[in-house]
Amino acid sequence: MVGSSHEALHRVFQKDPALLTRALQKVLRVPFPEPRDFAVLNADVTEIEPVERRVDTLMRVETDDGAYLLVVEAQGKKDERKRGSWPYYLAYLYEKYRCEPVLVVITQNSTTARWAAQPIRRGLPGWDSLMVRPLVIGPDNVPVIASEREAERDVPLAVLSAMTHGRGAQAAAILEPLAFALRTVDGDSAAVFGQLIESCLADSRAKEIWRNLMSEIRYFFNNPVAEKVREEGRVEGREEGREEGRLEDRAEMTLRILEWRAIPVPDAVRERVLGCSDLDQLEVWAHRAVTAERAEDLFTGGGA
């Protein structure tokens, strides 16, 4: 059982190690070599003296350019002690494994992200004996994936999006499309991802929404009739029904976001949203629902 956002933020990479290198490439635009193999290593960096030191997640990545150590640290707030321990971790791990170490910090907090991204310099002014430049993944650079189609293209990245934005106002826009995208992966993976996401949601109402969605997903995987529909949905010729389902799901999600934010929804707004047959327009309205002050604000700036 994952009990905290700190644990969830780095354990998602243990569930899908390739997600970390994709995040470096796609989110941070770091030219990390294409991986060939991964190995999750013992995260203990304790020496002989009785002082326990442990990184959150440690992985060895084999590439055509050589092996790298990915050191993942989940950070909830500023902690100046880390500016001493992080350089130690990297030096110790290089000496132990003789692989180039890469420090990746993941956080849900923008202020913490900016703090963590500052280079750590040790030595004389103007002459650094040691410099550490953390790579930081957080809400300012992870995209908000609020489209079911986009979530289905890369489910683990959509999970990372939900986790890093789990304490922000945009979390609601991510949950429902992600829940439907989880139906495209195996049941065990969906259960693990669902638990990790729940641990990262700060708002009690968001947690309740997510638990309800996960109940629907568990029914979907465990019910034989639902499983048959799932398989049939992959067969060519079912796309029209699938598209109708997308429209209905997105319309209901838009209204649910407003209701979750305690914004009254007049009948005229509800009818217009439920009657819309343009998926792109519904996605625009879903995004506006996250920040709208009135239900009618969905339609500002033009629309269907």
Side-chain angles (χ1 to χ4, degrees):
M1 176 70 68
V2 180
S4 69
S5 59
H6 175 276
E7 188 178 1
L9 283 171
H10 68 88
R11 277 191 56 182
V12 68
F13 299 123
Q14 296 178 19
K15 170 60 182 172
D16 188 341
L19 171 62
L20 182 53
T21 55
R22 291 204 306 280
L24 295 180
Q25 294 165 343
K26 293 183 177 182
V27 175
L28 300 183
R29 306 297 180 185
V30 173
F32 195 89
E34 284 298 322
R36 289 188 285 105
D37 191 27
F38 292 89
V40 178
L41 305 179
N42 188 330
D44 196 336
V45 291
T46 305
E47 293 189 271
I48 296 175
E49 65 267 22
V51 177
E52 183 179 0
R53 299 177 186 270
R54 185 177 298 272
V55 299
D56 288 331
T57 287
L58 177 63
M59 292 188 292
R60 180 186 178 110
V61 184
E62 300 290 344
T63 77
D64 290 336
D65 296 340
Y68 293 87
L69 292 176
L70 295 179
V71 184
V72 184
E73 285 279 278
Q75 197 66 28
K77 61 182 180 180
K78 296 180 182 179
D79 184 353
E80 291 301 325
R81 293 174 300 176
K82 292 298 182 72
R83 300 184 71 79
S85 57
W86 286 341
Y88 166 81
Y89 294 161
L90 300 183
Y92 175 86
L93 290 169
Y94 176 78
E95 181 65 20
K96 181 177 181 179
Y97 292 102
R98 291 292 170 173
C99 294
E100 295 296 339
V102 179
L103 174 61
V104 182
V105 180
I106 180 167
T107 181
Q108 295 178 295
N109 184 282
S110 296
T111 301
T112 303
R114 290 190 292 271
W115 164 81
Q118 297 173 7
I120 302 170
R121 302 177 187 273
R122 296 290 177 262
L124 294 171
W127 190 274
D128 301 322
S129 298
L130 173 69
M131 183 172 72
V132 175
R133 297 176 61 194
L135 294 168
V136 181
I137 298 173
D140 292 336
N141 53 24
V142 175
V144 175
I145 299 180
S147 161
E148 184 184 340
R149 289 172 176 170
E150 189 176 357
E152 286 182 353
R153 282 196 294 269
D154 194 336
V155 172
L157 187 61
V159 170
L160 183 64
S161 175
M163 293 169 65
T164 51
H165 293 281
R167 295 183 179 274
Q170 300 187 89
I174 303 173
L175 296 183
E176 192 150 352
L178 176 54
F180 284 99
L182 284 180
R183 302 184 186 199
T184 65
V185 303
D186 64 275
D188 290 340
S189 294
V192 172
F193 285 144
Q195 185 183 16
L196 293 172
I197 292 166
E198 182 177 334
S199 297
C200 290
L201 295 174
D203 187 275
S204 59
R205 289 174 297 176
K207 280 183 178 288
E208 182 179 358
I209 289 173
W210 184 244
R211 287 169 182 166
N212 290 336
L213 290 169
M214 287 304 296
S215 295
E216 295 175 8
I217 291 175
R218 284 191 289 271
Y219 172 82
F220 185 78
F221 279 106
N222 295 333
N223 185 279
V225 175
E227 178 64 23
K228 181 179 179 181
V229 172
R230 177 174 181 242
E231 292 301 323
E232 289 177 349
R234 294 172 178 166
V235 178
E236 186 176 359
R238 306 281 299 187
E239 190 59 33
E240 182 178 349
R242 185 182 178 92
E243 187 69 14
E244 291 178 0
R246 289 182 190 274
L247 290 168
E248 182 179 351
D249 293 339
R250 184 50 49 90
E252 291 179 352
M253 183 198 73
T254 301
L255 297 173
R256 193 173 300 180
I257 291 172
L258 293 173
E259 292 167 356
W260 174 69
R261 296 183 59 224
I263 294 177
V265 181
D267 290 341
V269 172
R270 185 179 302 276
E271 291 174 4
R272 182 171 177 182
V273 171
L274 293 176
C276 181
S277 59
D278 185 336
L279 186 60
D280 292 335
Q281 181 63 66
L282 286 169
E283 289 194 8
V284 171
W285 290 346
H287 281 286
R288 289 177 181 168
V290 176
T291 57
E293 296 182 0
R294 303 178 309 126
E296 290 80 2
D297 291 344
L298 296 181
F299 313 129
T300 59

